[in-house]
Amino acid sequence: MSDDAPRERSRFIEQHAVAIYFAVTFLLSWGGIVIMLGPGGLPATNEQMEKTGALAYLAMLVGPSVAGVLLTGLVSGRAGLRDLLARSLRWRVGARWYAAALLLIPSLAAAVPLALSRFSADFLPVIVTTEDKGGILLSGTIAGLMVGIFEEVGWTGFVVPRLRRRYSILSTGLMLGLVWGAWHFLLFWEPGSFFEALAFAVLLGRLFSWLPAARLLLVWVYSRTESVLAAMLMHAGLVATGVFIFQARVTGAAVLTFTLVWAAVMWAVVAVVALAGGFRDPPPGTAQPASKLRPAA
């Protein structure tokens, strides 16, 4: 009976690997933020985020990265970890996929605030208005790479191949995108989010308007390249340009306007990819290597 117990645990983890991953990721990420801000520090004020914001973001990154590596080892053993490393270093994917990963989202992130700035100077990108352009570019690049690497080890490296065993690119992207949006809740939750209509609309917009679209594009790039590295670079570009470099410094209704316009642009790109056949399943024989791994004995 004692010999059967480890096998039963292994089978249980394999059968519920994605759900367990989500639970561990939320526990580690949200638990880390609570530790950084204190149990009475939620929702965080602007002053708190200025003091501990960097630590809070680092705490969030612990979840998807640690959960991804841990669950990969538990489910697929050393072979799974080697495969995860190989996919994370896979760089021979073709120039067009590098262009999609590195240029698609940054070009859109630059175009949206520049277009909106024609109606109000409040929407001018930070990179245009700041005197410390080099500092903004450097901090945005570093932050983007950190977030892209640590998050995609788990979201793309572990979850996507397992969801793709049963679901299409479109379904995988939508399901994971909603979970990914919810995962950001503690970072976007502000005082008054549930008591003021505008603040609540901004919260929902930040969580669920454009994040699922971005995740769909990440799943699309990974499914066509089987490269976690490509997804890491695309995510890095999203963070660096969309948040640290090109994000306009606006408040109130202007934030909601920016969010909705950005979401509309992202979903328009998703629609173009879909019409071009980008979300069709890859041809037989090109399934992700991780989907072929067996549970660790």
Side-chain angles (χ1 to χ4, degrees):
M1 184 174 181
S2 59
D3 292 337
D4 292 336
R7 294 190 183 91
E8 290 296 329
R9 285 195 296 269
S10 179
R11 280 195 290 268
F12 178 84
I13 294 173
E14 166 65 14
Q15 291 170 1
H16 303 88
V18 172
I20 293 173
Y21 171 86
F22 290 152
V24 173
T25 297
F26 275 73
L27 178 63
L28 292 176
S29 294
W30 287 15
I33 285 188
V34 170
I35 292 172
M36 291 296 105
L37 299 177
L42 294 171
T45 63
N46 291 333
E47 292 75 18
Q48 286 176 300
M49 291 304 294
E50 288 178 1
K51 293 179 181 179
T52 62
L55 293 176
Y57 279 102
L58 288 175
M60 282 286 285
L61 296 180
V62 168
S65 56
V66 171
V69 173
L70 175 63
L71 268 295
T72 297
L74 288 174
V75 172
S76 301
R78 292 182 180 179
L81 293 173
R82 287 194 297 269
D83 177 75
L84 176 59
L85 179 61
R87 287 182 290 124
S88 298
L89 298 177
R90 184 169 293 148
W91 59 274
R92 294 185 177 181
V93 297
R96 62 172 178 164
W97 292 111
Y98 275 110
L102 294 172
L103 301 178
L104 179 59
I105 290 179
S107 62
L108 297 174
V112 170
L114 286 173
L116 290 174
S117 68
R118 296 177 63 87
F119 302 94
S120 172
D122 290 339
F123 290 103
L124 278 172
V126 174
I127 194 64
V128 173
T129 59
T130 186
E131 296 181 358
D132 186 19
K133 290 179 172 56
I136 290 292
L137 286 170
L138 179 62
S139 63
T141 300
I142 292 173
L145 288 173
M146 286 185 62
V147 173
I149 291 170
F150 280 92
E151 282 200 39
E152 296 313 315
V153 165
W155 300 121
T156 295
F158 183 81
V159 177
V160 171
R162 285 163 176 81
L163 287 179
R164 289 285 289 116
R165 295 177 191 177
R166 298 179 58 188
Y167 303 105
S168 66
I169 295 174
L170 182 61
S171 297
T172 296
L174 288 174
M175 288 187 291
L176 184 54
L178 291 174
V179 174
W180 189 44
W183 177 75
H184 285 84
F185 170 71
L186 290 188
L187 291 180
F188 293 150
W189 183 26
E190 298 177 351
S193 289
F194 291 100
F195 303 102
E196 301 172 10
L198 178 59
F200 185 61
V202 168
L203 175 64
L204 290 181
R206 284 174 164 174
L207 295 178
F208 301 118
S209 66
W210 63 269
L211 280 171
R215 180 51 62 182
L216 262 170
L217 295 177
L218 286 163
V219 173
W220 164 59
V221 167
Y222 175 76
S223 295
R224 297 307 181 192
T225 63
E226 298 181 1
S227 170
V228 178
L229 176 61
M232 289 175 175
L233 293 175
M234 193 173 205
H235 194 157
L238 173 67
V239 172
T241 57
V243 178
F244 290 92
I245 298 177
F246 295 112
Q247 178 71 46
R249 290 180 176 176
V250 294
T251 59
V255 172
L256 182 60
T257 299
F258 180 90
T259 300
L260 294 179
V261 172
W262 174 237
V265 170
M266 290 290 285
W267 283 108
V269 172
V270 168
V272 170
V273 173
L275 291 173
F279 295 145
R280 296 195 189 109
D281 287 333
T286 60
Q288 296 88 334
S291 65
K292 300 177 183 178
L293 293 174
R294 299 299 182 187

